[in-house]
């Protein structure tokens, strides 16, 4: 449950550190890469783009995942939706989920992203649209009560009210 299953027959998959490409241990989050006959050879007439996504024959999916002891793959999010804070990968989607569990909005009213931080590399920023449902200090306090990792908790001053979230025609957040 909660996995996408094992790799398909004829395909190899592994989870590696996004920076060093060192193999991650069982149940450790990292970058999912795949190899095999089912993987594309590259982009047609786009050698630079191909170099970005194929490394030593491995396709870089851009997914952050973990593999359990049975070889089942669990997708945790997208590499583009993580911040590296004090050397740790912090998943924006999971921070959003924790905040949404606290405020229980009827629709999407917030998005988490990262911003440069001189001390820690990045810090979290929460853009939100509905100030009636969201008091930043209260949300931060409730996040601390949930005992989630401290790096996942944005500072109250990093909650920024905006008029509306940018959305794609598909209804997904326009990153």
């Amino acid at each position: 449950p909660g996995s996408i299953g094992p790799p398909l027959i004829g395909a190899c998959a592994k989870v590696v550190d996004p920076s060093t490409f060192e193999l991650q241990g069982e149940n450790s989050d990292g970058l999912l890469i795949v190899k095999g006959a089912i993987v594309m050879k590259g982009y047609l007439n786009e050698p630079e783009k191909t170099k970005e996504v194929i490394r030593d024959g491995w396709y870089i999916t851009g997914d952050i995942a973990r593999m359990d002891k049975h070889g089942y793959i669990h997708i945790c999010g997208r590499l583009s939706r993580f911040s590296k804070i004090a050397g740790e990968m912090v998943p924006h989607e999971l921070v959003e989920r924790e905040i949404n569990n606290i405020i229980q909005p009827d629709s999407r009213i917030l998005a988490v992203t990262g911003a440069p931080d001189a001390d820690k590399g990045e810090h979290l920023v929460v853009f939100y649209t509905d100030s009636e449902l969201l008091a930043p200090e209260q949300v931060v306090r409730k996040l601390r009560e949930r005992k989630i990792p401290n790096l996942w908790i944005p500072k109250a001053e990093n909650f920024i009210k905006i008029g509306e979230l940018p959305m794609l025609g598909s209804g997904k957040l326009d990153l």
Side-chain angles (χ1 to χ4, degrees), residues 35-92:
K35 188 177 198 177
I38 64 168
V39 176
M40 71 172 184
K41 303 285 184 230
Y43 290 100
L44 183 63
N45 300 321
E46 299 269 358
E48 291 305 312
K49 199 169 185 182
T50 298
K51 281 184 195 176
E52 291 175 19
V53 298
I54 306 285
R55 182 171 175 171
D56 298 325
W58 290 90
Y59 174 67
I60 302 167
T61 65
D63 291 318
I64 297 296
R66 69 180 180 282
M67 194 176 297
D68 66 24
K69 68 181 179 180
H70 302 292
Y72 282 71
I73 300 166
H74 300 259
I75 303 292
C76 306
R78 295 284 299 159
L79 183 60
S80 60
R81 299 269 353 255
F82 278 73
S83 287
K84 194 160 192 175
I85 301 174
E88 298 290 325
M89 297 298 284
V90 177
H92 298 166

